[in-house]
Structure formats: C-alpha cells, structure tokens
Amino acid sequence: MSGSFLPERASGRRSWTPGERLTGRLPDPAPDPSAPTIGVLALQGDVIEHVRALHRCGANVVQVRSAGDIAAVDGLVVPGGESTTIGKLLERFGLLHPLQERIAGGLPVFGTCAGMILLSDELDQDRPQPLLGGLHVRTRRNAFGGQRDSFDTRIEVDGIDGGPIDVAFIRAPRVEAVLADDVEVLAEVRGFPVVVRQGPLLAAAFHPEVTGDDRLHAAFVATVRGAAGFAPSGTAT
Amino acid sequence: MSDTNDTSTGTTRVKRGLADMLKGGVIMDVIDVEQARIAEQAGAVAVMALERVPADIRKDGGVARMSDPEMIDSIVEACSIPVMAKARIGHFVEAQVLQSLGVDYIDESEVLTPADEANHIDKWGFEVPFVCGATNLGEALRRLSEGAAMIRSKGEAGTGNVVEATRHMRSIAGMIRRLATMDEAELYVAAKELQAPIELVRECAETGRLPTVLFTAGGIATPADAAMMMQLGADGVFVGSGIFKSGDPELRARAIVEATTNFEDPAVIAKVSRGLGEAMVGIEISTLPPGEKYADRGW
C-alpha cells in the first residue's frame, strides 16, 4: 500500500525538558551499549545542561523523576537548582529513600551547587531540609552571599589536567567542614573546599554545566565506567 | 589547587545562570514573612516580595510603586531561597534601591504603574539581574537588548485568567518557530518587523529558543494552568494572586509546584488538583475597563 497516506497519531509519548519544547526536542544520540547510563535528577533546576554535557562525554542519559527510573542507572547527576525545592520533591515523589539506598550501595553520584548541598550529610543552618546525604561534609548554603556576590572564575582542580576550569558560582554553597578522612578536597576558593570527592561521590559548589567545560563531567563518566564495569572510553579526555 | 584567581561579579553568565537554576520551578508572590515561609515550605524556587498582590492592586487602583524596603528586608531575612522584587517600568532609582537592598532579581514590572512612558531601565549597568515581561518576541528581544537576563510572559496579572498568558506564550514560541524556517535575507526583514536587533533575531533562529530562560506569568490559578504553560514551552511559572487569593494557599502552592515538575503527567496533575478548595475568583478579560490591561504597559 505504499503511496497511500493514512493519518495516524505519532506513537509514543513525547517527552521534553523545560525549555526544549520551543524547538521540538533535540534528538538523543543513539544508545551506546558500550557506555554506561547516567541519570540526571530532573525534578527542578538546570537539567538539560547536564544532559548535554553527559552526552558530549559519551554517556547514555535518562532523566530521573520517579523511583522507577532509578533501577536502570549506573550513575546519577544531581543538578543545580534550588536545594529546598529539589529536597521536598524527592520526599514527595518517594525518591529520597530509594536513592539513599543506592548511594549507600556505592552508586556514583555527581552533584553541582544544589547537588552538593543535597549530597552533604549536614548543613550549616538551623532550618531542617531533606537531604540525600552520603558525602561526609558539612555544607553552608549561599555561603558567598546573594546573587550580587555570584561570580565567574577559573580554578585549578586536583586531578583535572589541562589548566584551570572556567566556572560560575551562583548563590553557591561551600564546604564548611570535612567530617571524615576519606573526603578528598580537590579545589578551594577563599580557603574553603569547593570540589570534594569521597569514593564514587563527587561534588562541586559551582556549575561546570553552564560554562561548557566538560572535564569534571568526563572525570565522573570515567568513574561510572569503572564502577559499572564498562571499558574505559577511547575518546573521553 | 588554587584560590587566588580573579573573580568577576555581575556578568551576563551569572545573571542568566541564576535564571537557569530556577527552571522547572514556581516563583510565588508574597506580601509578608508568613506567606514567604508558606511559599518556601511548599517548594517555591523563589519569592516575589511585594506589598499588594496584583489582584489587590487592581481592586485598590491608584499608583502602584516599589514596596517598602523594610518589608523587602524582612523577606530577604526570612528566606533562604532567592528573593525578587518589582520596580516600575523605567524607574531606575527604584531599581538602584532594590539592588542596594540585596534582592536577587529585579522584576521591571507592568503590574506597577510605569514611571517612564518611552524608556525602560538600562539594565546593563546593574550587578543584579532583571526579569522583564513580554507579550511577543519583539518585545522580549528589546528587553534582552536592554540587558534583561530572564523573560516572562506578561499574561494579565491579577485576573486568575490564563488566556492572555496563553496568547503571549504562543506568540513568542510561534514566532521563534517561524524564524527557524527563514533564510538570512528574510531574517533582516523579520528583525525590522520585530523591531529587535538582528543579532538576537539570528540567535533565536539558530537555536530555536530565546537566548535566556522564558517563564510564564499573569493569570495562573490552578495546577493545570501551570502545566499547560509548561507544555507550551515555558521554563517555569510565576504565580501571583493565584495562591494567596485562593481558599487554601498552602495546599494550592504545593499542588502547583508538583504539577509544574510533572507537567507532562496528567495522572499527577489530577491527583494534586483534588480537594484544593476554592480557586481565586477570576476576571473575564473583556470586562476590564479601558486602560486597565497591564499587558499594554511597556514598549
């Protein structure tokens, strides 16, 4: 019956991230069976920037909005956004405990800004808010001040070759205290840790995802490859 | 490892970057500390501090101005999330005052009575970022050329009627889709017709979106309203009178947050829409007296 036009609704539910709708969706790269699948927590925040950075680093990416999305991921990125909002939504949508269990089981996680706050065991504030925890640090929110004090800078990060990375600190947090010996401080600003690693957990107080410098994402993808038993990528730097 | 590097504040990147962090979220109008706490508890990504919500500005009439600095201070103190505040269109001194108070974003807003009938604020000179309203793409791009770091649809604030926000979102998104089909020669004509700089027009055509985050505002009253705006392409939602003029603000605030996150999932929207109590009483746009359509303010 070639040649006859039979109108049909497109099959499958389209899915998009805020901001993508105007263009229609950027096509995802075809899944690569030799690459790990990394989830980006997609409750609120700059999700699409992380999705693109991870694609550029050769990972398969899924957006995590419910507990059902967690099983398939080899690693997780907790994006920038508003930590109080993301924390409350983690609780309300039943993601908090399942993710805490995966983190306790060794799931590699990379958190930026709000993500660093959510990965912290403790916060330097009286007001309680839901946290994923797992990273043995005490973090202070908005530690550099309000938006007027937000800044661009370049910083050297231990273990990241190729010179300083170009980053944006936006109402950024910082680590006030390291609570265990296995936490490595990889970079500091004004005397406070802003990049820390503890085994498979990596956290940055700034946003590498908004500046297009993918070296931290590439390092995280390499960690996930190792943890999930994938061969190292030939192309990642 | 080093912490001796030069830093720069007030850059376009950190201004637009804060708006990026608000994506997928709800920004709520609040008039006091108690409402700010309710908003934060409900999961707002930011609050807009103002003395009267648009529905009351509409009711009271008279000249609407920047809020009392004391009131803004008290909300900045009480909140750990970003605080925005409104300056009148063209009132650069109100903007200077708001910057000195340390607010995180200034809304140069048509909800307040304009202070200049020709000029908007030159926003490049400020360290604090600005969000501005727009009814169409040309207006959005003119605001960006003046230095705005975030755009929102104007909608028709204080009406609880989403129809104008729908019109503005469809207008902006539709025009961007048309630009994407044009060749270079046609883009110059489009820039002329849009009364907007060719560089920004070309960027929209190439990327298929605005150069900054685009939120919706003006008339959002229900979780379904918020989700509809998200499906039309908004990056996030402002809710003004819709929350604190409703029967149960706490419940409604939470429901709108959850619907905004799950804007593609009707089952979630149905679930959170149950038993919310009364929505704000709306106003049919055609019954507004002449001169009281806020979206007509701004140029």
Side-chain angles (χ1 to χ4, degrees), chain A residues 17-19 43-50 52 79-82 86 112-114 147 168 170 207 209-212, chain B residues 12-25 27 45 82 84 105 129 149-151 209-215 235-236:
Chain A
T17 303
L43 298 176
Q44 189 273 317
D46 67 337
V47 174
I48 195 65
E49 287 78 1
H50 279 289
R52 292 191 182 131
E82 185 45 52
I86 298 173
T112 64
C113 195
Q147 175 61 15
I170 299 171
H207 299 281
E209 73 277 11
V210 303
T211 56
Chain B
T12 298
R13 197 164 76 186
V14 296
K15 287 175 171 176
R16 292 183 179 181
L18 178 57
D20 281 326
M21 300 311 141
L22 303 176
K23 283 192 288 197
I27 300 168
V45 289
M84 301 184 170
Y105 241 94
M150 176 178 183
I151 297 293
R209 50 164 300 135
L210 280 183
T212 65
V213 162
L214 170 65
F215 268 50
D235 291 315

Side-chain angles (χ1 to χ4, degrees), chain A residues 50-107:
Chain A
H50 279 289
V51 171
R52 292 191 182 131
L54 291 167
H55 277 149
R56 289 192 296 266
C57 294
N60 299 313
V61 185
V62 296
Q63 298 189 25
V64 173
R65 287 199 179 82
S66 68
D69 300 330
I70 298 173
V73 305
D74 303 309
L76 181 76
V77 166
V78 185
E82 185 45 52
S83 66
T84 54
T85 303
I86 298 173
K88 283 172 214 300
L89 292 172
L90 279 170
E91 233 172 18
R92 286 184 211 162
F93 296 134
L95 276 158
L96 194 63
H97 295 301
L99 278 177
Q100 284 170 335
E101 277 173 25
R102 284 294 308 267
I103 293 170
L107 181 74

Side-chain angles (χ1 to χ4, degrees), chain B residues 111-129:
Chain B
V111 168
L112 305 183
T113 311
D116 189 323
E117 290 187 330
N119 307 290
H120 283 251
I121 298 169
D122 172 10
K123 294 165 273 285
W124 292 112
F126 288 80
E127 291 228 302
V128 64

Side-chain angles (χ1 to χ4, degrees), chain B residues 82-112:
Chain B
V83 176
M84 301 184 170
K86 289 184 194 289
R88 281 179 267 177
I89 289 174
H91 205 313
F92 50 88
V93 174
E94 284 188 350
Q96 291 164 6
V97 170
L98 293 173
Q99 173 163 279
S100 81
L101 292 174
V103 303
D104 296 298
Y105 241 94
I106 295 175
D107 183 3
E108 185 181 16
S109 178
E110 70 283 359
V111 168
L112 305 183

Side-chain angles (χ1 to χ4, degrees), chain B residues 174-195:
Chain B
M175 192 62 214
I176 292 175
R177 283 190 287 266
R178 284 199 287 283
L179 289 182
T181 66
M182 292 180 187
D183 71 14
E184 184 70 13
E186 290 168 332
L187 286 178
Y188 286 103
V189 181
K192 183 188 76 178
E193 285 167 358
L194 288 168
Q195 300 176 49

